[in-house]
Amino acid sequence: MYDYLVVGSGLYGAVFAHEAKKAGKSVIVIDKRSNIAGNVYTEKVEGINVHKYGAHIFHTNNTEVWNYITQFATFNRFTNSPVANYKGELYSMPFNMYTFNKMWGVVTPEEAAAKIEEQKKEINHEPTNLEEQAISLVGRDIYEKLVKGYTEKQWGRDCKELPAFIINRLPVRLSFDNNYFNALYQGIPVGGYTKMVENLLEGIEVRLNCDYIDKKKEYNALAEKVVYTGAIDAFFDYSLGNLEYRSVRFENELLDKPNFQGNVAVNYTDRETPWTRILEHKWFEFGKDENGNDLPKTYISREYSSEWKPGDEPYYPVNDKKNCELYKKYRELADKEGKIIFGGRLGEYRYYDMDAVIASALDMSEKELE
Ligand code: FAD
């Protein structure tokens, strides 16, 4: 009998398993997928570490988490600076002086601020929908070219039909700083996230292609306690109904050329282009392999917003009233399961950045393994 069965080899499960082993506990990890690492899984294609479940950029202000995770990987100096493509016009993101110079030809921060202020005046009442809200924050030009189409594709609805509260802020930088994340630490693990998770799981028994839900009783009998990082509603056989998610879909292509767009992410901000953005994975590692050689091919993923239905890959939890209340009811059931600890993005039905999920797993480990 093991001390712990960990269901799921994503970051939450892998961090807990590592800590349990370190504390002298016996631990086994199972995952229903045929690979470890959950949604941070990277797969090597023609020397390129492909982010199979979407672009993953590690960024944190939490020094403790940074010191912890860098034991398992060396991080490169990658900085996220997305580009927007509006009908062939390229703009720097997030909105900054490069963006304003391209949009209006303005040169100084004062000129940019004056232009934005002038355009914001168009809305002289409390915004009643997302369109009015966005114009009241950044003015019509930026809204029309950089916000409208992208947001409509993401939500599948016209901005005039979307509530104003969806956008609270649209940060405007009156500087030439196009580093998307305001984080103290940022980067991509050299060699890919899968290798980093492999290092976390070193010396731990891992069984892949094992769905816990199929044989719950059998698996529970393996260990004193279970750390479950799968979906909380699936654990209870959806007895109270399905929790909903927002989804994304990727169309992948390996191209026989070295450079497609020169950047990891290009957002397509017009309404007509069906995808929201294109990722070019090699630029997470500056187009080079581990030995510093240029890679001859490139791998791209067109990303589409898509409606989620039961059975699809769950990506983002929907934090509306209906789903929050349903989660609360599942949580009450979960609290009665003495032997099972629910954790991670699916077990807790919440969006976690990687640093937050690591912090959460470390926190739980400390309480559980003391
Ligand atoms: P997961 O990685 O989902 O792991 C759960 C594991 O449990 C999976 O391997 C799954 O197969 C397994 N499992 C589920 N059910 C069962 C079962 N019944 N039996 C056996 N195994 C099971 N964070 C950042 O910090 N930066 C980013 O740039 C970033 N980009 C993101 C982009 C997208 C599109 C998404 C959706 C998320 C992004 N994140 C990002 C968040 C990041 O993906 C999560 O923080 C992280 O993956 C959460 O880890 P986890 O272990 O909780 O869940």
Side-chain angles (χ1 to χ4, degrees):
M1 186 111 167
Y2 295 89
D3 293 319
Y4 290 98
L5 163 72
V6 176
V7 180
S9 62
L11 274 179
Y12 190 96
V15 166
F16 178 78
H18 182 88
E19 291 304 299
K21 179 169 182 275
K22 205 167 80 183
K25 306 290 181 188
S26 57
V27 54
I28 177 172
V29 177
I30 63 168
D31 203 297
K32 66 178 179 183
R33 292 184 184 164
S34 56
N35 55 265
I36 58 161
N39 273 17
V40 306
Y41 175 61
T42 46
E43 182 178 85
K44 239 191 186 68
V45 180
E46 298 278 339
I48 304 160
N49 286 309
V50 172
H51 294 207
K52 285 303 257 192
Y53 297 91
H56 276 78
I57 297 142
F58 194 90
H59 56 97
T60 189
N61 290 319
N62 186 330
T63 302
E64 205 182 309
V65 165
W66 179 250
N67 289 342
Y68 181 80
I69 202 63
T70 49
Q71 296 175 86
F72 307 99
T74 303
F75 282 69
N76 70 17
R77 59 157 185 88
F78 179 81
T79 303
N80 190 26
S81 306
V83 168
N85 181 327
Y86 177 77
K87 302 185 177 179
E89 292 171 25
L90 299 183
Y91 291 95
S92 176
M93 300 277 279
F95 314 140
N96 65 76
M97 283 303 295
Y98 289 114
T99 326
F100 308 138
N101 174 262
K102 179 81 183 264
M103 185 86 58
W104 301 307
V106 293
V107 172
T108 65
E110 284 90 346
E111 287 173 311
K115 195 84 189 167
I116 294 168
E117 283 311 311
E118 173 200 316
Q119 293 206 357
K120 278 162 68 166
K121 284 194 197 126
E122 182 184 330
I123 305 296
N124 53 13
H125 54 271
E126 190 62 30
T128 58
N129 57 42
L130 193 146
E131 174 166 306
E132 291 180 0
Q133 171 80 335
I135 296 171
S136 75
L137 292 169
V138 289
R140 181 166 287 276
D141 288 346
I142 294 176
Y143 165 70
E144 294 274 356
K145 289 191 170 179
L146 301 178
V147 179
K148 184 176 187 294
Y150 193 82
T151 310
E152 292 183 343
K153 286 188 283 194
Q154 271 193 323
W155 292 90
R157 275 158 73 191
D158 201 284
C159 282
K160 285 199 185 83
E161 291 162 19
L162 287 165
F165 72 80
I166 293 179
I167 294 183
N168 282 328
R169 292 175 346 110
L170 282 171
V172 164
R173 294 183 185 171
L174 295 173
S175 70
F176 290 91
D177 178 10
N178 61 357
N179 176 356
Y180 188 83
F181 296 114
N182 273 320
L184 200 50
Y185 311 103
Q186 178 171 194
I188 303 291
V190 174
Y193 286 95
T194 306
K195 200 164 144 200
M196 179 179 95
V197 176
E198 244 169 57
N199 292 341
L200 273 160
L201 292 172
E202 202 186 310
I204 294 168
E205 185 181 348
V206 179
R207 293 190 202 160
L208 298 174
N209 302 304
C210 295
D211 193 331
Y212 170 78
I213 300 296
D214 287 350
K215 294 182 189 159
K216 213 160 109 189
K217 263 203 180 135
E218 223 171 277
Y219 284 123
N220 283 346
L222 281 180
E224 297 286 345
K225 275 189 128 174
V226 177
V227 172
Y228 175 79
T229 72
I232 191 166
D233 54 352
F235 183 93
F236 294 106
D237 287 329
Y238 306 100
S239 55
L240 306 174
N242 263 297
L243 287 165
E244 292 169 318
Y245 289 85
R246 277 202 304 122
S247 202
V248 283
R249 181 170 64 80
F250 299 100
E251 264 176 29
N252 303 313
E253 212 179 331
L254 178 67
L255 302 175
D256 200 6
K257 56 166 135 180
N259 195 350
F260 175 74
Q261 63 186 18
N263 203 35
V264 158
V266 175
N267 295 358
Y268 284 75
T269 55
D270 65 297
R271 178 80 195 245
E272 292 73 27
T273 306
W275 49 85
T276 47
R277 57 180 187 164
I278 298 183
L279 304 176
E280 187 172 10
H281 300 259
K282 72 189 311 184
W283 299 116
F284 284 119
E285 298 176 62
F286 314 111
K288 311 261 189 209
D289 69 11
E290 273 146 75
N291 302 316
N293 300 315
D294 288 328
L295 291 158
K297 295 190 183 175
T298 197
Y299 192 96
I300 61 166
S301 302
R302 292 188 174 79
E303 189 173 319
Y304 299 80
S305 266
S306 75
E307 282 290 318
W308 178 86
K309 51 186 185 334
D312 288 352
E313 195 59 57
Y315 278 100
Y316 301 102
V318 180
N319 292 108
D320 60 6
K321 200 163 165 249
K322 181 178 130 200
N323 284 286
C324 288
E325 278 172 8
L326 183 55
Y327 170 69
K328 245 170 89 186
K329 289 188 188 145
Y330 276 122
R331 188 70 243 174
E332 281 162 18
L333 292 181
D335 289 341
K336 292 182 192 138
E337 295 280 339
K339 170 175 172 148
I340 321 277
I341 298 165
F342 292 77
R345 65 179 197 101
L346 299 167
E348 296 172 65
Y349 189 65
R350 57 176 280 190
Y351 180 81
Y352 269 124
D353 269 332
M354 290 181 276
D355 62 331
V357 96
I358 292 167
S360 166
L362 285 175
D363 209 37
M364 190 277 276
S365 305
E366 208 174 306
K367 287 185 194 125
E368 179 63 24
L369 301 165
E370 65 188 5

